[in-house]
Amino acid sequence: MNENERPLNFVEKIIKEDLASGKVDAIRTRFPPEPNGYLHIGHAKSIWLNFGLAQTFGGKCNLRFDDTNPEKEDEEYVESIKADVKWLGYQWDGDVHFTSDYFDQLHAWAIELIKSDKAYVCDLNAEQMREYRGTLTEAGKNSPYRERSVEENIELFEKMRAGEFDEGACALRVKLDMAAPNMHLRDPVIYRIKKASHHQTGDKWCIYPSYDYAHGQGDAIEGVSHSVCTLEFEEHRPLYNWFIKNVPVPSTPHQYEFSRLNVNYTITSKRKLKQLVDEDHVDGWNDPRMPTISGMRRRGFTPKAIRDFCEMTGVTKVKGVVDVSMLEFAIREDLNANAPRAMCVLHPLKVVLTNYPEDKTETMTAAGHPQRDDFAERSLPFGREVWIDQDDFREEANKKYKRLVIGKRVRLRNAYVIEADEAIKDEAGNIIEVRARVIENTVGNDPEDGVKPKGVIHWVAAHDNVECEVRLYDRLFTDVAPDAGGKDFLESINPDSLEILNGCKVEAGIFANDPDTRYQFEREGYFIEDSKYSSAEKPVFNRVISLRDTWGKMDQG
RNA sequence: UGGGUCGUCGCCAAGUGGUAAGGCACCGGGUUUUGAUCCCGGCAUUCGCAGGUUCGAUCCCUGCCGACCCAGCCA
């Protein structure tokens, strides 16, 4: 990605103009999650946008937990969210903020609203309130409690705060317009009674501010200049602005909305993701197939790849669905450039080199990366017996097949060219071993007789390797839009989304590296040790993503 | 059917009154001790539709069509 050449997106243009016109001296953004679940790819986009905007314009970005509904929230989520933001490569300005830090201020402002006759305590229950609100096409009507006196409202609100009413008995509403075409302006509730313990404030409060009342004021208190959120909040903007104008806030933030990120073949509904976890369709929130940030992290996706993907997909108000191939491209692009190479045989087939001395071994050297010399070279033990992949041998094949065939030659990557002589089979007819010969003096050279090998295959020495488990992942859903149009997403769960391979053989040298290292197992894809199951006794690798495979797509004859 | 928002290539996405960037995907070809990477080439006579203004419109005007969001004391 070249940031210098990329055209500015609409939010960046607004900021650039605001800075140029002097409307603001500096910008401050914020990422404001409610701590009620794990973050997913959609949140990654919001994090990238908010923190990225601050970075590119030399501003600051806050992390604020929008914790106005204690019933749905938990400290567990605030911790995981902080970890996810950091992993993505961002650091918030100063301390973490909580909307609950402002409960006292918000409460005081609510009293001011009552005093200026702009808010009232309404005794309508939820059902009645719905009836009075009207519908999309019909105006609502005023609550019978709308004209209570300021004194009475002050007294009632104090009783609400003191816990003298049951949940749902009444609520504080702001006096706007029950006939407004924008439903959000029909006397929205700004404080409701919830006798629940809050993860940050404990039992101090039994009334909690609503999102609409708290969000803009929180932005204003923190000095947020550009409050970026998703499209569904567009209609809340007039309300947001009304509060900024009618409450004595210390600054004037502005809200801008962009289209949330949607990726095909996946779901991001928190409820549905939770269902996958609760019903054991996946191995927890961080299952490598999950679109959660923790899942992508365990899978081996890199923060940079995710950031690049966010940038690639742009910032607009158009509601679209991005193709997963873009995400896959971003991951391959980063890993191809930065992953050290290694060899791992997934489906081992023994090859005995009959003309190679039984007691002889030698050491081959291999580049750590074919295009980079800043990667250390590897030492690969070589001997009379090596493992190759079952897919890389056929007794006979047409010209398109560039691997080992009886009577034909192939190069063992970084080692000799060999020629196959015979396939050894068991009683059932399965090939269990291949007899082949090493062609003299072909390490680093073409065969002297001029008969070049048809291709190059990877291998691991039979006498020196580490046995491991390899987990291959495919997309979790077989349907492009698993939950579109009310479809049951459980019906399109891909039964083959996880394939576990045992007895794989990997070159031993890689275990001297950081266990977080992502490798390219040449000709197979990119892999990383699984943070949950891998151990020294039994290494387990996750395939981050396969290599681009044009061969696999063509007619192989 | 009230209000809001959106409609440029299969998918993202620039763009502007002067004759459609880029990326992904896809298709060719070259290099290659990874069927990877890399390189080169192809891929919208057309910008939701229909009129209008104009020498000229994807960009301005009018009308229409389609999609999405809103009737929580969720965020």
Side-chain angles (χ1 to χ4, degrees):
Chain A
M1 282 305 106
N2 188 333
E3 277 88 342
N4 301 321
E5 290 177 12
R6 177 173 63 76
L8 297 182
N9 62 52
F10 82 96
V11 182
E12 291 170 328
K13 282 177 189 159
I14 289 169
I15 291 176
K16 189 181 176 186
E17 282 166 23
D18 289 348
L19 251 12
S21 70
K23 183 175 174 184
V24 296
D25 296 326
I27 69 154
R28 182 177 292 274
T29 55
R30 103 268 90 115
F31 172 58
E34 180 184 21
N36 68 346
Y38 289 87
L39 263 28
H40 55 64
I41 184 76
H43 296 106
K45 177 86 176 239
S46 178
I47 291 168
W48 163 82
L49 215 209
N50 282 294
F51 282 92
L53 247 18
Q55 281 178 352
T56 78
F57 291 98
K60 309 275 198 215
C61 182
N62 290 0
L63 171 60
R64 175 167 87 244
F65 287 96
D66 218 347
D67 55 348
T68 57
N69 187 353
E71 292 167 345
K72 295 189 172 181
E73 304 158 4
D74 196 282
E75 181 71 22
E76 171 195 359
Y77 301 121
V78 344
E79 290 310 317
S80 75
I81 289 169
K82 283 157 68 177
D84 288 347
V85 171
K86 283 186 178 176
W87 179 74
L88 279 172
Y90 298 106
Q91 180 58 56
W92 48 89
D93 183 54
D95 295 331
V96 165
H97 299 274
F98 291 86
T99 297
S100 55
D101 294 341
Y102 317 133
F103 281 176
D104 285 320
Q105 177 65 269
L106 259 7
H107 176 73
W109 280 335
I111 290 172
E112 292 308 310
L113 249 15
I114 294 173
K115 285 182 179 168
S116 54
D117 200 26
K118 289 171 179 163
Y120 64 100
V121 173
C122 178
D123 296 354
L124 253 25
N125 62 35
E127 191 182 332
Q128 295 168 320
M129 208 179 278
R130 194 182 318 124
E131 287 165 8
Y132 274 79
R133 186 157 34 231
T135 68
L136 295 176
T137 53
E138 301 164 43
K141 55 189 178 189
N142 286 170
S143 161
Y145 305 100
R146 204 178 200 253
E147 300 309 324
R148 291 218 254 226
S149 69
V150 168
E151 295 67 33
E152 188 182 2
N153 281 139
I154 291 285
E155 187 184 326
L156 257 15
F157 187 49
E158 171 52 26
K159 285 184 175 175
M160 277 174 66
R161 204 215 97 248
E164 292 182 30
F165 299 122
D166 291 336
E167 282 189 20
C170 52
L172 185 68
R173 295 223 260 169
V174 72
K175 204 179 286 187
L176 296 180
D177 178 6
M178 290 307 291
N182 180 342
M183 299 297 285
H184 297 285
L185 264 21
R186 321 248 263 223
D187 287 12
V189 167
I190 64 170
Y191 260 99
R192 68 286 211 214
I193 299 168
K194 281 186 187 291
K195 300 198 169 173
S197 185
H198 188 286
H199 54 102
Q200 301 300 319
T201 61
D203 296 319
K204 179 178 177 185
W205 300 90
C206 63
I207 56 172
Y208 292 92
S210 63
Y211 165 85
D212 285 312
Y213 179 63
H215 205 89
Q217 280 78 297
D219 284 342
I221 290 169
E222 295 179 8
V224 167
S225 57
H226 300 260
S227 183
V228 182
C229 61
T230 44
L231 249 30
E232 66 268 31
F233 293 101
E234 236 160 3
E235 288 186 284
H236 294 244
R237 187 167 4 104
L239 229 200
Y240 181 102
N241 292 149
W242 187 90
F243 284 121
I244 294 301
K245 183 178 290 182
N246 289 277
V247 170
V249 292
S251 72
T252 309
H254 291 276
Q255 175 183 303
Y256 302 95
E257 312 85 14
F258 75 104
S259 179
R260 72 168 355 113
L261 171 66
N262 293 301
V263 182
N264 63 11
Y265 290 103
T266 111
I267 59 172
T268 45
S269 151
K270 206 168 277 182
R271 195 204 101 228
K272 292 169 186 168
L273 254 17
K274 185 175 190 310
Q275 196 180 341
L276 290 174
V277 173
D278 291 345
E279 296 178 4
D280 292 324
H281 293 109
V282 295
D283 181 29
W285 285 96
N286 67 346
D287 182 293
R289 293 164 295 183
M290 290 284 271
T292 51
I293 293 178
S294 55
M296 296 190 287
R297 174 165 61 226
R298 185 172 152 204
R299 170 76 169 263
F301 289 7
T302 63
K304 176 175 171 16
I306 293 172
R307 280 186 251 120
D308 286 349
F309 169 65
C310 290
E311 177 163 334
M312 244 192 274
T313 54
V315 180
T316 66
K317 292 174 97 80
V318 184
K319 293 163 195 168
V321 181
V322 169
D323 199 297
V324 257
S325 66
M326 275 206 226
L327 211 209
E328 296 173 346
F329 171 82
I331 295 159
R332 290 193 180 106
E333 185 182 46
D334 184 24
L335 261 20
N336 173 57
N338 302 304
R341 311 286 125 125
M343 293 197 284
C344 177
V345 174
L346 267 30
H347 311 92
L349 170 63
K350 183 168 286 183
V351 173
V352 177
L353 301 165
T354 55
N355 65 339
Y356 195 90
E358 282 190 49
D359 54 354
K360 181 180 177 183
T361 62
E362 56 189 307
T363 302
M364 306 295 173
T365 58
H369 186 113
Q371 282 86 34
R372 293 177 57 169
D373 52 18
D374 56 324
F375 278 57
E377 285 192 332
R378 295 175 281 150
S379 291
L380 305 173
F382 184 86
R384 188 172 198 261
E385 297 187 351
V386 298
W387 295 106
I388 67 167
D389 199 281
Q390 287 165 22
D391 292 339
D392 288 337
F393 173 76
R394 284 187 194 172
E395 290 183 87
E396 46 189 88
N398 63 25
K399 304 111 299 206
K400 288 180 183 174
Y401 189 74
K402 305 202 299 183
R403 309 178 188 185
L404 190 60
V405 177
I406 287 179
K408 297 285 173 49
R409 293 177 178 179
V410 79
R411 174 176 293 283
L412 293 181
R413 168 136 247 235
N414 301 122
Y416 291 99
V417 169
I418 63 172
E419 184 169 319
D421 295 316
E422 181 187 8
I424 309 296
K425 299 175 182 175
D426 61 14
E427 303 74 28
N430 301 308
I431 298 169
I432 54 172
E433 184 181 308
V434 174
R435 295 286 166 89
R437 271 172 296 112
V438 151
I439 306 301
E440 294 297 316
N441 195 221
T442 51
V443 178
N445 307 304
D446 280 336
E448 289 161 356
D449 61 9
V451 182
K452 293 189 177 179
K454 298 203 59 181
V456 181
I457 64 174
H458 56 103
W459 57 278
V460 166
H463 74 279
D464 187 347
N465 68 67
V466 172
E467 190 158 308
C468 61
E469 174 179 308
V470 169
R471 296 174 167 233
L472 305 181
Y473 300 100
D474 196 355
R475 47 178 63 129
L476 230 200
F477 299 98
T478 55
D479 194 306
V480 234
D483 60 351
K487 272 182 290 190
D488 179 1
F489 67 104
L490 295 177
E491 284 178 11
S492 62
I493 287 184
N494 179 3
D496 304 315
S497 61
L498 168 62
E499 182 183 0
I500 298 180
L501 266 26
N502 274 290
C504 305
K505 317 281 188 181
V506 66
E507 60 180 74
I510 66 170
F511 293 99
N513 302 329
D514 184 324
D516 253 2
T517 307
R518 295 159 181 88
Y519 299 93
Q520 182 193 103
F521 287 165
E522 291 186 301
R523 302 212 310 134
E524 294 292 359
Y526 298 95
F527 296 78
I528 186 173
E529 272 193 71
D530 185 78
S531 58
K532 182 170 180 177
Y533 298 119
S534 195
S535 65
E537 303 71 53
K538 186 185 183 189
V540 176
F541 286 91
N542 289 324
R543 182 174 68 190
V544 183
I545 186 134
S546 65
L547 252 28
R548 185 161 163 269
D549 181 19
T550 46
W551 159 251
K553 285 173 187 162
M554 59 186 277
D555 171 21
Q556 302 176 13

